[in-house]
Amino acid sequence: MDQQLVAAVRRFNRTVTQRVGALDDEYMARGRPLAQARLLWEIGPGGAEVAALRVRLGLDSGYLSRLLRTLESDGLITVGPADQAGDQRVRTVALTAAGRTEWAELDQRSDQLAWSILAPLTGPRRDRLVAAMAEVERLLVASMVVIEPCPPGDPRARACVRAYARDVARRFDDGFDPALSNPVHDEELTPPAGVFLLATLNAEPVGCGAVKLHPDAPAEIKRVWVSDTVRGLGLGRRLLGELEQYAAERGWTAVRLDTNRNLTEAIAMYRSAGYREVEPYNTEPYAHHWFAKDLTPASG
């Protein structure tokens, strides 16, 4: 990793934490540190499940429990089972009347903090700052996406494949019926025959892709899908690259795929990633284009 890039990120982090008051013992002069204030904000007037808060904020269970106990002892929240007649292990958090008052005060002071950042700047500079913030936010979200192998029979993998089928059904000229498409069996996407990669953001599935490692033939990429919630963050290209790397690390020197003419963004991505159009290599009824790419042998 380039040390200049690392140093730039560290400078940015220091500037942001100082400017938003993250270093203060009493965030926004409310008598509690930022972690407590942020947790109270995330709970919100509608309440939340404890497990969802842990995932959303990326907090250790023990640390989250300590924060909740502090807010509860201050009379700002109540913690209890989601349903007295249901699973007692599912706990929810709700704001008390005092908590709702505090939440409203935090909301107002957050607006004031945002304005204090914008106020010293001229109109064009405000626009530049807000645009830059939006871009930084998108890139930070992209960096939070985790891609890992997942059994194709996992409920999350199944959900992604169903979402893929719904997406392409809307876009294909004649819809999409999985029963008519060339089958992709679970065992073909299970090591060593292949792999299914699942992309998650805050533990929620947001994308997937798979590669079949055909003996004595190029590897074949299948089912690359990205949720609308993270489109434009480069996740499709990242999934493609990781699938290529998986095949290369196992000795495959080429990879190929087929696609439909209506998936114009995917076609553009494949071409920009170095894929070349080839003659049809299968009888996929929904395919109009077939692509192939030579892989660089994995080092080491």
Side-chain angles (χ1 to χ4, degrees):
M1 182 70 72
D2 189 326
Q3 278 303 118
Q4 289 185 333
L5 295 178
V6 172
V9 171
R10 293 183 61 180
R11 283 197 306 272
F12 177 82
N13 290 343
R14 291 194 296 272
T15 300
V16 170
T17 53
Q18 179 181 357
R19 187 63 185 87
V20 302
L23 303 179
D24 298 340
D25 290 335
E26 298 185 2
Y27 185 63
M28 294 190 190
R30 297 305 296 161
R32 60 182 51 83
L34 173 61
Q36 293 179 23
R38 175 64 190 278
L39 178 57
L40 189 70
W41 172 262
E42 289 292 340
I43 294 168
E49 288 188 2
V50 172
L53 289 170
R54 181 179 61 79
V55 171
R56 192 185 313 160
L57 296 174
L59 298 177
D60 172 81
S61 296
Y63 182 48
L64 175 60
S65 295
R66 291 193 295 274
L67 291 175
L68 289 172
R69 283 198 298 269
T70 299
L71 294 178
E72 193 171 24
S73 66
D74 289 345
L76 300 177
I77 64 169
T78 59
V79 182
D83 184 353
Q84 295 294 338
D87 190 343
Q88 297 293 303
R89 295 171 298 178
V90 179
R91 296 192 303 150
T92 60
V93 189
L95 299 181
T96 63
R100 289 191 293 273
T101 299
E102 180 67 12
W103 187 93
E105 181 66 25
L106 280 173
D107 185 42
Q108 180 180 4
R109 293 193 180 212
S110 294
D111 281 349
Q112 292 171 351
L113 174 60
W115 180 242
S116 74
I117 293 172
L118 296 169
L121 304 176
T122 62
R125 288 182 177 273
R126 290 175 191 167
D127 292 341
R128 285 175 55 194
L129 176 60
V130 170
M133 285 177 166
E135 179 66 7
V136 168
E137 180 186 11
R138 286 173 58 80
L139 294 173
L140 287 176
V141 169
S143 76
M144 292 165 62
V145 175
V146 176
I147 299 176
E148 295 177 314
C150 177
D154 185 288
R156 298 170 300 167
R158 295 281 196 238
C160 284
V161 172
R162 288 195 298 270
Y164 163 86
R166 289 194 298 269
D167 274 1
V168 297
R170 288 193 296 267
R171 302 189 63 181
F172 289 3
D173 294 330
D174 300 314
F176 176 73
D177 183 351
L180 300 179
S181 180
N182 288 350
V184 180
H185 303 293
D186 285 357
E187 56 268 24
E188 297 178 292
L189 308 182
T190 303
V195 73
F196 186 97
L197 297 183
L198 180 71
T200 58
L201 176 61
N202 296 327
E204 292 296 320
V206 293
C208 67
V211 63
K212 298 162 66 172
L213 302 178
H214 298 293
D216 303 319
E220 185 178 13
I221 289 177
K222 304 294 291 185
R223 304 293 189 259
V224 176
W225 170 78
V226 174
S227 169
D228 288 341
T229 60
V230 291
R231 290 271 167 86
L233 299 182
L235 180 55
R237 183 67 172 268
R238 185 176 159 196
L239 279 163
L240 189 65
E242 296 218 11
L243 292 169
E244 294 170 359
Q245 181 179 349
Y246 186 91
E249 288 175 346
R250 283 150 186 82
W252 268 256
T253 58
V255 66
R256 58 191 181 184
L257 56 87
D258 61 69
T259 192
N260 185 278
R261 63 189 170 207
N262 292 291
L263 301 181
T264 54
E265 301 93 340
I267 292 171
M269 177 181 71
Y270 299 142
R271 286 179 170 148
S272 67
Y275 284 75
R276 65 189 185 282
E277 195 150 4
V278 297
E279 292 298 315
Y281 62 85
N282 62 18
T283 58
E284 171 58 54
Y286 293 105
H288 301 103
H289 300 276
W290 290 259
F291 290 94
K293 178 181 180 179
D294 294 330
L295 298 177
T296 302
S299 59

